[in-house]
Amino acid sequence: LLGVACRNARALGIVLVAAAGNNGPKAPYGYPAAFDGVIAVTATDAKDGLMQQANRGAYVFLSAPGVEMVAPSGAGSDVVTGTSFAAAIVTGAIANLLNAAPDRSADWVEKVLAATARDLGPKGRDSDFGYGLLNIKAAATAKE
């Protein structure tokens, strides 16, 4: 049912982002990230290395910082790690792209993020980093 909802949302032009998961390299695919039409995000550290406990798989689309990040908490702030925090960064970047040009489609967002990502790991898209590290500066200046 959630897979159908994801496909329907994407068909309506909604950009969906989800965390790839934090269950390790041998874990099953993380859902909803692995559903078609969802941008699955994994986490990298300060040296652009993959978060050790991140899920892996062909569904991983993009990487973003997510290891030892400072985040707001009830106590003020806390240091956090996980693909969820990386997914939040990608979501914010997409919000900025769409704010700058609201007529951009979900397909355009996906294509520009893939085309402008900084390749990490093996050349091209891979099961660890996806297309690579989010490069919002390049994405924001990409041509239509």
Side-chain angles (χ1 to χ4, degrees):
L1 189 56
L2 183 56
V4 170
C6 289
R7 281 191 301 278
N8 290 343
R10 181 55 192 263
L12 292 171
I14 297 170
V15 181
L16 301 171
V17 178
N22 305 322
N23 297 313
K26 297 183 189 285
Y29 285 9
Y31 288 90
F35 286 127
D36 289 339
V38 178
I39 296 173
V41 181
T42 193
T44 58
D45 61 24
K47 295 182 180 179
D48 297 336
L50 189 63
M51 183 180 86
Q52 187 175 9
Q53 64 270 38
N55 288 26
R56 314 290 200 280
Y59 71 104
V60 174
F61 187 85
L62 200 62
S63 308
V67 175
E68 297 183 358
M69 307 289 294
V70 176
S73 73
S77 66
D78 203 357
V79 177
V80 297
T81 293
T83 60
S84 294
F85 302 104
I89 289 173
V90 171
T91 300
I94 292 169
N96 285 335
L97 289 173
L98 294 175
N99 183 58
D103 59 329
R104 290 176 172 156
S105 70
D107 287 339
W108 182 89
V109 168
E110 191 172 286
K111 286 177 189 169
V112 78
L113 291 177
T116 59
R118 186 164 56 84
D119 198 12
L120 299 173
K123 188 168 176 59
R125 186 175 184 178
D126 62 71
S127 294
D128 292 343
F129 297 98
Y131 285 102
L133 187 65
L134 171 70
N135 184 341
I136 190 58
K137 193 173 200 177
T141 58
K143 300 294 180 205
E144 295 295 319

